[in-house]
Short mmCIF file of all heavy atoms in Angstrom, two decimals:
data_model
loop_
_atom_site.label_atom_id
_atom_site.label_comp_id
_atom_site.label_asym_id
_atom_site.label_seq_id
_atom_site.Cartn_x
_atom_site.Cartn_y
_atom_site.Cartn_z
N ALA B 498 -13.68 34.63 -1.40
CA ALA B 498 -13.62 34.45 0.05
C ALA B 498 -13.45 35.79 0.75
O ALA B 498 -14.07 36.07 1.77
CB ALA B 498 -12.47 33.52 0.41
N LYS B 499 -12.61 36.62 0.16
CA LYS B 499 -12.32 37.92 0.75
C LYS B 499 -13.58 38.78 0.78
O LYS B 499 -13.81 39.55 1.71
CB LYS B 499 -11.25 38.60 -0.08
CG LYS B 499 -10.58 39.71 0.64
CD LYS B 499 -9.34 40.11 -0.11
CE LYS B 499 -8.67 41.24 0.62
NZ LYS B 499 -7.43 41.63 -0.03
N TRP B 500 -14.42 38.65 -0.27
CA TRP B 500 -15.64 39.44 -0.31
C TRP B 500 -16.69 38.90 0.64
O TRP B 500 -17.41 39.64 1.29
CB TRP B 500 -16.19 39.46 -1.72
CG TRP B 500 -15.76 40.73 -2.34
CD1 TRP B 500 -14.66 40.90 -3.10
CD2 TRP B 500 -16.34 41.99 -2.12
NE1 TRP B 500 -14.52 42.21 -3.39
CE2 TRP B 500 -15.54 42.91 -2.82
CE3 TRP B 500 -17.46 42.45 -1.43
CZ2 TRP B 500 -15.83 44.25 -2.83
CZ3 TRP B 500 -17.74 43.79 -1.44
CH2 TRP B 500 -16.93 44.69 -2.14
N SER B 501 -16.73 37.62 0.69
CA SER B 501 -17.79 36.98 1.49
C SER B 501 -17.53 37.19 2.98
O SER B 501 -18.47 37.30 3.77
CB SER B 501 -17.78 35.50 1.16
OG SER B 501 -18.92 34.89 1.61
N ARG B 502 -16.28 37.25 3.36
CA ARG B 502 -15.95 37.19 4.78
C ARG B 502 -16.54 38.32 5.62
O ARG B 502 -17.21 38.05 6.63
CB ARG B 502 -14.43 37.12 4.96
CG ARG B 502 -14.07 36.52 6.29
CD ARG B 502 -12.60 36.27 6.37
NE ARG B 502 -12.21 36.05 7.77
CZ ARG B 502 -11.01 36.27 8.23
NH1 ARG B 502 -10.07 36.71 7.43
NH2 ARG B 502 -10.74 36.04 9.50
N PRO B 503 -16.32 39.60 5.27
CA PRO B 503 -16.89 40.64 6.15
C PRO B 503 -18.41 40.57 6.22
O PRO B 503 -18.99 40.82 7.29
CB PRO B 503 -16.44 41.94 5.50
CG PRO B 503 -15.89 41.60 4.18
CD PRO B 503 -15.51 40.17 4.18
N TRP B 504 -19.07 40.20 5.13
CA TRP B 504 -20.53 40.11 5.16
C TRP B 504 -20.98 39.01 6.10
O TRP B 504 -21.92 39.17 6.88
CB TRP B 504 -21.08 39.82 3.75
CG TRP B 504 -20.86 40.96 2.80
CD1 TRP B 504 -19.84 41.08 1.90
CD2 TRP B 504 -21.66 42.14 2.68
NE1 TRP B 504 -19.96 42.26 1.22
CE2 TRP B 504 -21.07 42.93 1.66
CE3 TRP B 504 -22.82 42.60 3.31
CZ2 TRP B 504 -21.59 44.15 1.28
CZ3 TRP B 504 -23.34 43.82 2.91
CH2 TRP B 504 -22.73 44.59 1.91
N THR B 505 -20.30 37.88 5.99
CA THR B 505 -20.65 36.76 6.86
C THR B 505 -20.41 37.13 8.31
O THR B 505 -21.22 36.82 9.20
CB THR B 505 -19.80 35.53 6.49
OG1 THR B 505 -19.86 35.36 5.08
CG2 THR B 505 -20.31 34.30 7.18
N MET B 506 -19.27 37.81 8.55
CA MET B 506 -18.95 38.23 9.91
C MET B 506 -20.03 39.14 10.48
O MET B 506 -20.45 39.01 11.63
CB MET B 506 -17.61 38.98 9.93
CG MET B 506 -16.41 38.10 9.91
SD MET B 506 -16.36 36.97 11.31
CE MET B 506 -15.02 37.59 12.23
N ALA B 507 -20.49 40.08 9.64
CA ALA B 507 -21.50 41.02 10.11
C ALA B 507 -22.79 40.28 10.47
O ALA B 507 -23.36 40.47 11.55
CB ALA B 507 -21.77 42.07 9.04
N ALA B 508 -23.22 39.39 9.56
CA ALA B 508 -24.46 38.66 9.81
C ALA B 508 -24.32 37.82 11.08
O ALA B 508 -25.21 37.79 11.94
CB ALA B 508 -24.77 37.75 8.62
N TRP B 509 -23.18 37.16 11.19
CA TRP B 509 -22.94 36.30 12.34
C TRP B 509 -22.92 37.10 13.64
O TRP B 509 -23.46 36.67 14.66
CB TRP B 509 -21.61 35.56 12.12
CG TRP B 509 -21.12 34.78 13.26
CD1 TRP B 509 -21.53 33.53 13.63
CD2 TRP B 509 -20.12 35.17 14.21
NE1 TRP B 509 -20.83 33.12 14.75
CE2 TRP B 509 -19.95 34.11 15.12
CE3 TRP B 509 -19.33 36.31 14.37
CZ2 TRP B 509 -19.06 34.16 16.18
CZ3 TRP B 509 -18.44 36.35 15.42
CH2 TRP B 509 -18.30 35.29 16.31
N ALA B 510 -22.32 38.29 13.59
CA ALA B 510 -22.26 39.13 14.80
C ALA B 510 -23.66 39.56 15.21
O ALA B 510 -24.01 39.56 16.40
CB ALA B 510 -21.36 40.34 14.55
N PHE B 511 -24.48 39.92 14.23
CA PHE B 511 -25.87 40.28 14.54
C PHE B 511 -26.62 39.09 15.15
O PHE B 511 -27.37 39.24 16.12
CB PHE B 511 -26.61 40.73 13.28
CG PHE B 511 -26.39 42.18 12.94
CD1 PHE B 511 -25.79 42.55 11.75
CD2 PHE B 511 -26.81 43.18 13.81
CE1 PHE B 511 -25.58 43.88 11.44
CE2 PHE B 511 -26.60 44.52 13.50
CZ PHE B 511 -25.99 44.86 12.32
N LEU B 512 -26.39 37.93 14.57
CA LEU B 512 -27.06 36.74 15.07
C LEU B 512 -26.63 36.47 16.52
O LEU B 512 -27.45 36.15 17.38
CB LEU B 512 -26.70 35.55 14.17
CG LEU B 512 -27.55 34.30 14.27
CD1 LEU B 512 -29.00 34.62 14.04
CD2 LEU B 512 -27.09 33.24 13.27
N THR B 513 -25.34 36.64 16.77
CA THR B 513 -24.82 36.43 18.13
C THR B 513 -25.52 37.38 19.10
O THR B 513 -25.99 36.97 20.17
CB THR B 513 -23.31 36.70 18.17
OG1 THR B 513 -22.69 35.99 17.12
CG2 THR B 513 -22.71 36.29 19.50
N LEU B 514 -25.58 38.65 18.72
CA LEU B 514 -26.23 39.64 19.58
C LEU B 514 -27.70 39.29 19.79
O LEU B 514 -28.23 39.37 20.90
CB LEU B 514 -26.15 41.03 18.94
CG LEU B 514 -25.01 41.96 19.35
CD1 LEU B 514 -25.28 43.33 18.76
CD2 LEU B 514 -24.87 42.05 20.86
N GLY B 515 -28.35 38.92 18.69
CA GLY B 515 -29.77 38.60 18.75
C GLY B 515 -30.04 37.46 19.72
O GLY B 515 -30.94 37.54 20.55
N ILE B 516 -29.24 36.41 19.63
CA ILE B 516 -29.44 35.24 20.50
C ILE B 516 -29.14 35.64 21.94
O ILE B 516 -29.88 35.27 22.87
CB ILE B 516 -28.54 34.08 20.05
CG1 ILE B 516 -28.99 33.59 18.68
CG2 ILE B 516 -28.57 32.95 21.07
CD1 ILE B 516 -28.11 32.52 18.09
N THR B 517 -28.08 36.41 22.14
CA THR B 517 -27.71 36.83 23.49
C THR B 517 -28.84 37.61 24.14
O THR B 517 -29.23 37.36 25.29
CB THR B 517 -26.44 37.71 23.44
OG1 THR B 517 -25.44 37.01 22.73
CG2 THR B 517 -25.95 38.04 24.83
N ILE B 518 -29.39 38.55 23.38
CA ILE B 518 -30.44 39.38 23.94
C ILE B 518 -31.73 38.59 24.13
O ILE B 518 -32.48 38.79 25.09
CB ILE B 518 -30.64 40.65 23.09
CG1 ILE B 518 -29.43 41.54 23.36
CG2 ILE B 518 -31.92 41.38 23.43
CD1 ILE B 518 -29.28 42.71 22.48
N GLY B 519 -31.94 37.63 23.23
CA GLY B 519 -33.09 36.75 23.40
C GLY B 519 -33.01 35.97 24.71
O GLY B 519 -33.99 35.82 25.44
N SER B 520 -31.81 35.50 24.99
CA SER B 520 -31.60 34.74 26.22
C SER B 520 -31.82 35.64 27.44
O SER B 520 -32.44 35.24 28.43
CB SER B 520 -30.19 34.16 26.21
OG SER B 520 -29.71 33.96 27.50
#
Side-chain angles (χ1 to χ4, degrees):
Chain B
K499 198 167 180 178
W500 262 95
S501 194
R502 203 172 164 205
W504 293 97
T505 312
M506 280 301 249
W509 172 80
F511 276 118
L512 196 56
T513 310
L514 265 189
I516 294 175
T517 307
I518 287 171
S520 154

